[in-house]
Amino acid sequence: MTGPTFTQMPRYTLGDWDNKAAVRVRKNNYRLPDDLEHQLASRDWFAPAFMPYIEHPLIDKAGRATAQRLAANHLVHFLDYTTLLEHRVVNRAVETIVHGELAVPIPCQMKTAGLQLYTDEGYHALFSNEVAEQIAALYDIRDRPLPRRIGRLLGVIDATTPPDHPLAWFLLGFVSETIIAKELLSITRETLVSTVYQMLRNHLEDEARHSRYFSEVFQYLWSALAPDQRALAARLLLDVVGLYFEPDTPWLMHSLASVGFDEQDSLKIVANLLQPDAHARRVRSGAVSTFAAMQQAGFFDDALNRQMFFQAGFIDG
Ligand SMILES: [Fe+2]
Ligand SMILES: [Fe+2]
């Protein structure tokens, strides 16, 4: 039986990193295109899949210029979030692998791939920030608060006792790295401003490799964890998966206000995001690869774990 190429890669590697990684081969300059104005007549800054509220009748009524400005705001916010996530969360998780902070021996190729992944994320942060700065300058976007999710993810570490920090960091990285490829896939299929498309496309190609790597490391780690560590990891995973699908409502309200929506209309626009089962639905569709890796590791063989995730509405019973 012949599967896709990636299933044939040796375990715990990023495949042909030297010839595939964006930081090695994608030397784009990430400058906004010279014909930007022309492109914006038919293309968007960001994909509707990432900002479903954009299709709300009130925004439709406000016109294309308003929708375009909201998309620019959202893209800058997303890229600021990405830059922080890569450095403060994902690369911190990679450090736990590379520097032997987890309670398992790290095979040589797993460490090497970790060092390569760390380099990839540094480049992703660099080009994400470059594009964010250009769009922020273009629209004079000065208010760029810390994305709420970053604060909440770091809060998970603060709520954990120091000896468990490496495990908590690793899990923050594992969940992020197994959801981001699917997120980016939904973006790059849309008709975007060329520089934005190319940047997201380059990012996506790396993330497909990262998702596979983190899934393998998770399975390796899970098989080695003691029962009490597994119980802690299960609770952390439930929280962390939930956090990655929480909307940043205060930021969104602010963005809507910046284009002239009053509070009443803004609340109408964000209402769908806040419906009782909307969060669990986002988790179910976005965390498919995360749950697949957990399933393969035997995580859901444990009735308690299954129960916890079922009660949260994240999996079927
Ligand atoms: Fe990345
Ligand atoms: Fe990554």
Side-chain angles (χ1 to χ4, degrees):
M1 201 174 80
T2 40
T5 336
F6 66 82
T7 62
Q8 292 157 9
M9 282 202 288
R11 283 163 80 78
Y12 314 131
T13 74
L14 296 187
D16 190 12
W17 186 78
D18 252 332
N19 296 304
K20 293 271 171 66
V23 67
R24 306 293 286 167
V25 296
R26 303 269 184 249
K27 294 178 182 170
N28 306 63
N29 61 23
Y30 303 103
R31 292 271 146 244
L32 292 179
D34 293 338
D35 65 341
L36 178 63
E37 218 171 312
H38 177 72
Q39 286 199 17
L40 283 173
S42 59
R43 298 182 185 217
D44 299 317
W45 281 116
F46 208 23
F50 236 74
M51 30 175 210
Y53 61 89
I54 208 82
E55 275 152 9
H56 194 279
L58 285 170
I59 294 176
D60 205 40
K61 209 172 106 196
R64 181 161 167 83
T66 299
Q68 208 151 52
R69 176 56 200 262
L70 285 170
N73 286 353
H74 205 132
L75 181 59
V76 169
H77 187 64
F78 172 79
L79 293 174
D80 285 347
Y81 164 74
T82 301
T83 304
L84 281 159
L85 185 78
E86 303 290 36
H87 276 203
R88 299 269 167 86
V89 178
V90 180
N91 272 351
R92 184 62 192 87
V94 175
E95 286 178 14
T96 67
I97 302 169
V98 169
H99 299 294
E101 294 177 46
L102 300 164
V104 287
I106 301 297
C108 191
Q109 70 271 28
M110 186 188 284
K111 179 173 177 175
T112 301
L115 287 161
Q116 290 168 337
L117 199 153
Y118 191 97
T119 311
D120 287 347
E121 304 299 21
Y123 188 48
H124 300 164
L126 173 66
F127 62 53
S128 296
N129 182 65
E130 271 178 9
V131 174
E133 294 298 348
Q134 292 173 78
I135 303 169
L138 190 67
Y139 288 102
D140 196 23
I141 300 171
R142 293 181 198 181
D143 197 9
R144 292 160 68 181
L146 181 80
R148 186 165 76 150
R149 192 180 301 151
I150 294 290
R152 300 195 66 185
L153 293 171
L154 299 180
V156 170
I157 301 298
D158 293 340
T160 313
T161 57
D164 295 322
H165 281 183
L167 179 61
W169 279 119
F170 172 78
L171 294 173
L172 288 181
F174 161 66
V175 176
S176 175
E177 289 290 276
T178 48
I179 61 177
I180 192 172
K182 181 153 190 291
E183 256 177 352
L184 289 173
L185 201 61
S186 70
I187 289 169
T188 51
R189 285 197 185 120
E190 310 292 329
T191 316
L192 298 175
V193 169
S194 56
T195 307
V196 175
Y197 175 82
Q198 198 54 60
M199 171 197 60
L200 296 173
R201 178 81 219 170
N202 291 351
H203 197 163
L204 167 67
E205 286 173 8
D206 282 345
E207 291 307 336
R209 286 183 285 277
H210 294 185
S211 177
R212 181 181 174 277
Y213 171 81
F214 260 91
S215 295
E216 289 176 352
V217 178
F218 176 79
Q219 287 164 44
Y220 176 80
L221 178 66
W222 186 259
S223 69
L225 285 182
D228 64 321
Q229 289 286 288
R230 283 189 179 188
L232 170 68
R235 288 195 304 276
L236 287 169
L237 279 167
L238 186 74
D239 285 351
V240 170
V241 168
L243 283 179
Y244 276 108
F245 294 91
E246 294 278 1
D248 191 340
T249 314
W251 171 82
L252 182 51
M253 291 292 287
H254 187 76
S255 176
L256 291 164
S258 79
V259 296
F261 287 107
D262 63 22
E263 194 176 352
Q264 207 185 358
D265 280 352
S266 296
L267 285 170
K268 282 184 200 157
I269 292 169
V270 302
N272 281 345
L273 282 174
L274 304 176
Q275 275 179 3
D277 56 345
H279 176 253
R281 269 206 310 274
R282 287 196 296 274
V283 169
R284 278 167 171 263
S285 71
V288 172
S289 303
T290 314
F291 292 158
M294 287 158 65
Q295 171 84 44
Q296 274 184 302
F299 178 91
F300 292 114
D301 296 348
D302 183 308
L304 261 179
N305 292 349
R306 238 178 14 250
Q307 179 71 4
M308 256 180 4
F309 279 71
F310 170 68
Q311 274 176 351
F314 295 174
I315 61 165
D316 292 326

